[in-house]
Amino acid sequence: MLKPTPFTKVLIANRGEIALRVMRTARRMGYGVVAVYSDADVDAAHVREADEAVAIGGAQPSQSYLNIPALIEAAKIAGADAVHPGYGFLAENEDFAAACRDAGLVFIGPSAESIASMGNKAGAKEIMIKAGVPCVPGYQGADQSDAAMIAEAGKIGFPVMIKAVAGGGGRGMRLVKDAAALPDALRSARSEAQSAFGDPTVILERAIVDPRHIEIQVFGDRYGHAIHLGERDCSVQRRHQKLIEEAPSPAVSEALREQMGTVAVNAVKAIGYEGAGTLEFLLDAQGQFYFMEMNTRLQVEHPVTEAITGLDLVELQLRIAAGEPLPLRQDDVKFNGHAIEVRLCSEDADRDFMPQSGRMALWRMPGELRVEHALQSGSEIPPYYDSMIAKIIATGASRDEARRKLIHGLDTTFAFGVTTNRGFLAACLRHEAFANGEATTAFIAQNRDDLTRALPEDAVPAAAVAALLLYVTDRHAPPHRPGRSLAAVFPTQLRIDIDGKPQTCEVVRERDGSYRVTHDSRAITFEIEELASDRIRFQANCLSESAVYHRDGDRLFVQRLGVGNTIVDLTRAAPQRAAAAGGDGKLRAALNGRVVAVLVKPGERVAAGQPVLTLEAMKMEHVHLAPASGIIAIDVAEGEQVTTGRIVAEIEAETQPA
């Protein structure tokens, strides 16, 4: 007879916002909570908020959050009797689930056997095929040689998708359009999969053109009961990683929901699945759906399901892990309203979504929406982990109401100091195709120019507002005081860089207390109505506006009307040298990261634009190209950690014969 497995203290084998999310529910249910942390997370919020915290190793995931012995030892040190894996890292690792069980710890998730059977993409597809579930045609054989992969890809037909068998979150995934590109894509996918999951094995699948990405949330208990909680539409993606998720899907009818839900429930019953899980499907334009994979864990996007069902999914996980039966049946599940979630990431959408790290100078989230995060002003964003730094969720009686609320929430989200995708997310939500519920997985690729195009200049140019703020917040200038001034009027010339573009402005404090800013031969008069340490309200062109700002030395961050700008005061700076601009033949690291591949040999002749080396940061790979032609010298080694701006290679121009 099956028995309950009670526990009292939960170690959360994860970091950041998901650790805080699990803590919140665990505490409400009366459980103690223990955090773990790497060297990079000593001062992290999840460490401060936990009842107890245990250090588990170095900054690299392999030294800490992927270190199974260290995590088991941490549980013993703290006296924890259960482990919640969160998502990512070891959440879908059967060895970790087995190690917890062997150590007498309750693993809050499915059994190691279920993770092995469904967490592995190749194994999951075989189970689904035997169960009669429609699957994408592909190859999941044991022969992983390039020759076998090339042959199988030819049988499947291009384009094909490479996927890491142990993967998730888009890591180890590559779209390959022809046979010539397959070898390089295999190398890159395997390298990324090995780094992220410790397993380089991949499978091949036929690429379904422009599908919807639909997933079904399921729960099962140890007594054979299983339910689904409806679908989520996760079609808006970049790099095969989700950016926007919503429930319900605008493309799924009630009949299709019942069909997909029944398939998902039958699948988890067939393997005796216990806990939370998600079956992911591709939905084509004809309404046919194909199983892709199962995520044997809680999903990043679980809040949208919570919003429309009124259920706490972490609570369900904890109850099932303790041996309780599911507290509801399928008929008890009701769906109300609509919910949309965006993933706020520290990345630059204008530079191919390159991850960003550094210090968050000002961090202020919208108070009226649900926000999951673990940051505060002054927090460091380390380069070692995923680039997602917050989730923002809006709900409404209708899809459009939720969409409008989320746009407003993003417009009042202030993340200064590290580049984020905030503006890009708002542009996605505003786009006609998304507003009409038409977005597929090709949405970003098809609309990239529209989504990254600069907004038309406002009646009051951003450069003029920036110049005003630089002038009135300059510690060397007289402080701003309302009212008339008897001081002599002298114009001040300012040289500024605004979002990478140099500008020149002139500012004059008039005797009546106003400010005249001249930009591009156009003079604008500003009346300052309020000036606080982080906010200005002004009147210009008969219109009053507000802006939030943060000054950090010579850098100024400004956000107004939902548009953010980064300004650097160059007025007192020396002219930029050619070497700093990269015209000296030196290749500099574009971001903090680890060298995972050196693609050329020292002394080799390279052409301008040729791939030289690959850096990995925040679980993504970034190829660095030669800035010029010539003979190359390599200044780093594979496995080495480098910082932004460090010289990683030098190219000496070949001397021309006399």
Side-chain angles (χ1 to χ4, degrees), residues 376-514:
Q376 62 184 9
S377 297
S379 291
E380 287 287 334
I381 310 296
Y384 311 104
Y385 313 117
D386 193 271
S387 63
M388 188 186 78
I389 53 177
K391 304 180 306 195
I392 305 175
I393 306 99
T395 60
S398 67
R399 181 176 187 268
D400 203 51
E401 181 184 344
R403 186 181 68 89
R404 292 195 311 269
K405 287 181 177 179
L406 193 48
I407 291 171
H408 181 262
L410 285 168
D411 286 350
T412 54
T413 291
F414 304 103
F416 296 161
V418 179
T419 301
T420 73
N421 63 345
R422 184 199 60 81
F424 182 82
L425 293 170
C428 288
L429 295 172
R430 287 187 170 100
H431 195 278
E432 182 180 12
F434 184 87
N436 293 336
E438 299 167 352
T440 69
T441 55
F443 170 75
I444 287 179
Q446 290 174 346
N447 300 288
R448 183 70 178 271
D449 290 344
D450 291 340
L451 298 172
T452 56
R453 184 178 292 120
L455 295 175
E457 188 64 89
D458 188 70
V460 181
V465 177
L468 174 68
L469 275 167
L470 283 172
Y471 183 86
V472 299
T473 61
D474 190 337
R475 60 188 177 88
H476 299 290
H480 166 76
R481 291 187 177 88
R484 298 181 61 83
S485 171
L486 298 178
V489 176
F490 297 105
T492 299
Q493 296 288 331
L494 294 176
R495 287 193 306 115
I496 65 175
D497 179 299
I498 179 165
D499 298 330
K501 299 175 183 177
Q503 311 267 349
T504 301
C505 298
E506 182 183 87
V507 183
V508 177
R509 173 76 190 268
E510 303 284 20
R511 292 188 184 276
D512 64 0
S514 66

Side-chain angles (χ1 to χ4, degrees), residues 248-392:
S249 167
V252 173
S253 65
E254 196 169 325
L256 182 56
R257 179 178 303 115
E258 184 176 351
Q259 184 183 2
M260 296 180 76
T262 299
V263 166
V265 168
N266 289 342
V268 298
K269 282 184 175 180
I271 62 169
Y273 189 83
E274 183 179 336
T278 303
L279 280 84
E280 305 207 351
F281 298 90
L282 294 178
L283 178 67
D284 68 19
Q286 290 72 45
Q288 297 297 313
F289 62 92
Y290 303 90
F291 172 79
M292 285 196 303
E293 63 188 35
M294 182 177 184
N295 291 307
T296 54
R297 55 170 167 80
L298 193 69
Q299 294 282 90
V300 173
E301 56 273 21
H302 75 273
V304 296
T305 297
E306 293 184 327
I308 66 167
T309 62
L311 299 170
D312 184 328
L313 271 58
V314 175
E315 178 180 344
L316 289 177
Q317 283 189 298
L318 293 167
R319 292 192 181 283
I320 290 168
E324 297 182 25
L326 271 168
L328 68 167
R329 297 292 182 263
Q330 192 63 56
D331 290 345
D332 300 322
V333 179
K334 306 298 180 185
F335 305 110
N336 295 292
H338 202 97
I340 308 176
E341 171 184 296
V342 293
R343 302 189 187 192
L344 186 67
C345 300
S346 54
E347 63 185 24
D348 190 343
D350 292 331
R351 298 173 63 200
D352 197 27
F353 304 101
M354 184 174 289
Q356 306 291 303
S357 56
R359 187 175 67 89
M360 190 63 74
L362 177 68
W363 179 257
R364 188 181 302 164
M365 294 294 100
E368 69 276 11
L369 300 181
R370 175 175 174 178
V371 182
E372 302 285 352
H373 72 98
L375 297 179
Q376 62 184 9
S377 297
S379 291
E380 287 287 334
I381 310 296
Y384 311 104
Y385 313 117
D386 193 271
S387 63
M388 188 186 78
I389 53 177
K391 304 180 306 195
I392 305 175

